[in-house]
Amino acid sequence: MKRLSNRVTRAAVVAVAILLIGAAVACRRPTPAGAAPPPPEVSVLTVAPETVTARYEYVGQAAASRSVAVRAQVQGVIVERPYTEGTDVAKGSLLFRIDPTTYEAAHRSAQARLANAERNLARLNSLLGARAVAQKDVDDAQQAFDQAQAAADQTKKDYEDTFVRAEISGRAGRSQLELGARVTGPGDLLTTVERVDPIDVNFSPSDQDVLRWRRDIATRRLLVPARVLAVQVTLEDGSIFPGTGRLNFVDLALQRMTGTLSLRAEFRNPQHVLLPGQFVRVRLLGLKRPGAILVPQRAVQRGLRGAFVYVLGDSNTVVARDVVATSWDRGAWLIEQGLRAGDRVVVDGVQQVATGQPAKPVAYQPAADTSAVAPEDSVVIAAPSAPPRIKVAP
C-alpha cells in the first residue's frame, strides 16, 4: 500500500513538470510574422458648411441717457431741500430753496421804480401834446422806464432762481451741500439728476474687429440685417437683461488712445435693473455667417505650429491638417481656414491615431454627443416688481 502511494506521488510530480515545460516553450514561440494590431476605431465628422449666428461680445458700461448737474445761479444759504435723495423726480420739481430775503426785497424795490418810471413817462407824454415839455424830456423818461423794466426783470429772475428745480425728469442723486450751507454761485454742485429709463450702454470694438467686419461684409461672409442692429446685455452674474436694445450711435473715428470705435445702444429700463456705471457684456444680435465650418472642440489639437486636426485621407490614412480656429460657437470651434466641404475630421480617438497610419472610421453622431452642446451661460433675470422703497422724512 505504501509503495502504491509513492508511485502515485511520483506520477503527479512528473505530470506537473511536463505542463510547466510546455508552457515555457509556448511562451518562447515567436508570433507569426503576418499578424498586426487592428487599426483604431475613430468617430469621423464629414465637414458640411452651414449658416450660423456670428457671435460678437464686448465689455460695456451703462450710462444715463441724460445727466444734468444741478447748480444754483445765485448766492445764499440753503434753507430747504424738499426732495429725497435717490428717488425719481419730475421735471420742474423743487430740489433746493435758497434764502430769498435779499432777492425778494430787491425785486419789490425794482417794481416800485418801474411803476414810478411808468407814471412819469405817461405824464410827460400827455404834456408833450400840449407842447408843455420838450421831446428830450420824454426821451429821457422813456430811457428811465426801459432801464427800470430791465432791472425789474433781472431781480425777478434772481428771485425765481432761489427756487432750484429739476431741469429733466429722472433720479436725483445725493445732495452735495447740506441745509445751512452757503452757495457761492454756479461753481457749487448741488446734486445730479440722471435719466436711467431709457439707459445707454457704451462699448468699444477694436480696430481689428472693425476691419474684419468691413472685409467680411464686402465678401458676403457676414450678413447684416437691414433693420437697426439689436443688442443683448448680460449682467455680471450671468443673467440676461430682459429685453433687447437698439444701436443708436456709431462714432466717426477711432479713439486715439485705445484704437477702438465707440458704439452706444439704448435700452428700456423701467425697473432700473441697469444702473449708470455698471459693467455688462454686450452681444450683437442678428449677424449671420454663411458657409461656416464647425468642428467639436476636442477635435482641434494644439501643436508647435498652432491648431491642427486629424483628417482621414485615401484608404482611411490619418493626415494632420493645420487650421485657423477663430471663435467659439455652441461647443464647437469655427474653422476659418484649413478645411473644406467633404473633409473627414477625426473627433473621438485622436489619442490612438498617428499620421500616416490607417484608422477605422465610424460616423460621428452629433445628436448623441452631449459635450458638443455648450451649456447656457446665462439665464433671464426676473425684473423686480417695484424699486426698493425709501423712507421719506416727515
Side-chain angles (χ1 to χ4, degrees):
M1 187 69 179
K2 192 172 183 179
R3 289 179 181 178
L4 179 60
S5 176
N6 292 336
R7 291 178 182 176
V8 172
T9 302
R10 287 197 296 270
V13 171
V14 172
V16 170
I18 294 174
L19 289 176
L20 293 175
I21 294 174
V25 172
C27 291
R28 295 177 182 177
R29 187 176 301 166
T31 304
E41 184 177 282
V42 295
S43 65
V44 174
L45 170 67
T46 302
V47 172
E50 57 182 311
T51 299
V52 299
T53 300
R55 299 171 66 91
Y56 291 98
E57 291 191 3
Y58 304 97
V59 175
Q61 189 173 22
S65 56
R66 288 196 63 185
S67 180
V68 175
V70 179
R71 301 177 186 272
Q73 301 301 314
V74 295
Q75 300 179 5
V77 176
I78 299 176
V79 296
E80 187 180 359
R81 195 203 69 193
Y83 86 98
T84 302
E85 297 170 306
T87 60
D88 292 333
V89 295
K91 181 179 179 179
S93 299
L94 181 62
L95 302 179
F96 294 88
R97 181 74 189 278
I98 298 174
D99 186 5
T101 304
T102 303
Y103 300 100
E104 187 176 9
H107 180 48
R108 289 200 302 267
S109 177
Q111 285 181 317
R113 289 193 297 270
L114 175 61
N116 183 58
E118 184 178 10
R119 289 191 299 269
N120 187 39
L121 178 60
R123 183 173 59 254
L124 291 178
N125 278 329
S126 63
L127 294 175
L128 181 62
R131 297 181 182 274
V133 294
Q135 180 65 44
K136 184 179 183 305
D137 295 333
V138 177
D139 293 342
D140 291 343
Q142 181 65 50
Q143 182 182 6
F145 173 79
D146 293 340
Q147 292 175 346
Q149 181 67 62
D153 292 342
Q154 181 62 49
T155 55
K156 179 181 179 182
K157 180 182 182 304
D158 291 342
Y159 171 72
E160 291 177 347
D161 284 343
T162 62
F163 298 85
V164 182
R165 303 182 183 277
E167 295 295 330
I168 62 172
S169 297
R171 176 157 290 189
R174 177 179 298 174
S175 174
Q176 301 299 317
L177 293 177
E178 299 297 332
L179 293 177
R182 180 174 178 79
V183 180
T184 59
D188 294 334
L189 176 65
L190 300 180
T191 188
T192 302
V193 178
E194 295 183 333
R195 180 178 296 171
V196 295
D197 183 25
I199 193 169
D200 293 335
V201 174
N202 300 303
F203 58 102
S204 301
S206 67
D207 55 346
Q208 295 180 354
D209 284 342
V210 175
L211 292 175
R212 185 162 61 247
W213 287 349
R214 293 178 177 176
R215 182 184 67 246
D216 291 347
I217 292 174
T219 57
R220 302 292 297 174
R221 298 177 65 182
L222 182 65
L223 304 180
V224 181
R227 63 183 185 278
V228 178
L229 198 62
V231 179
Q232 184 185 73
V233 156
T234 303
L235 305 180
E236 187 67 25
D237 61 353
S239 57
I240 297 177
F241 177 74
T244 57
R246 291 291 182 267
L247 194 68
N248 66 351
F249 172 76
V250 179
D251 207 348
L252 297 178
L254 298 177
Q255 300 295 319
R256 294 183 179 180
M257 299 299 295
T258 61
T260 57
L261 184 67
S262 294
L263 304 181
R264 184 181 68 208
E266 185 180 79
F267 290 80
R268 294 288 301 169
N269 190 33
Q271 303 295 336
H272 298 177
V273 175
L274 285 179
L275 298 175
Q278 186 173 354
F279 285 96
V280 296
R281 285 186 298 162
V282 178
R283 178 181 297 178
L284 302 180
L285 303 179
L287 301 177
K288 299 293 183 180
R289 187 175 294 278
I293 295 177
L294 295 175
V295 298
Q297 178 268 341
R298 60 185 179 278
V300 180
Q301 309 299 310
R302 286 286 175 180
L304 296 177
R305 296 188 303 175
F308 69 94
V309 297
Y310 289 115
V311 298
L312 294 187
D314 297 336
S315 303
N316 294 329
T317 302
V318 178
V319 179
R321 183 84 58 82
D322 292 336
V323 296
V324 176
T326 58
S327 61
W328 179 267
D329 185 272
R330 294 176 297 171
W333 281 110
L334 177 63
I335 305 300
E336 191 76 18
Q337 298 176 10
L339 293 177
R340 59 182 181 271
D343 286 341
R344 297 183 297 166
V345 179
V346 177
V347 178
D348 296 311
V350 292
Q351 297 84 0
Q352 307 174 24
V353 299
T355 303
Q357 298 297 321
K360 180 182 179 181
V362 176
Y364 170 69
Q365 301 295 333
D369 188 2
T370 57
S371 63
V373 181
E376 291 294 335
D377 59 348
S378 302
V379 294
V380 177
I381 186 173
S385 57
R389 294 183 177 275
I390 297 178
K391 183 178 179 181
V392 179

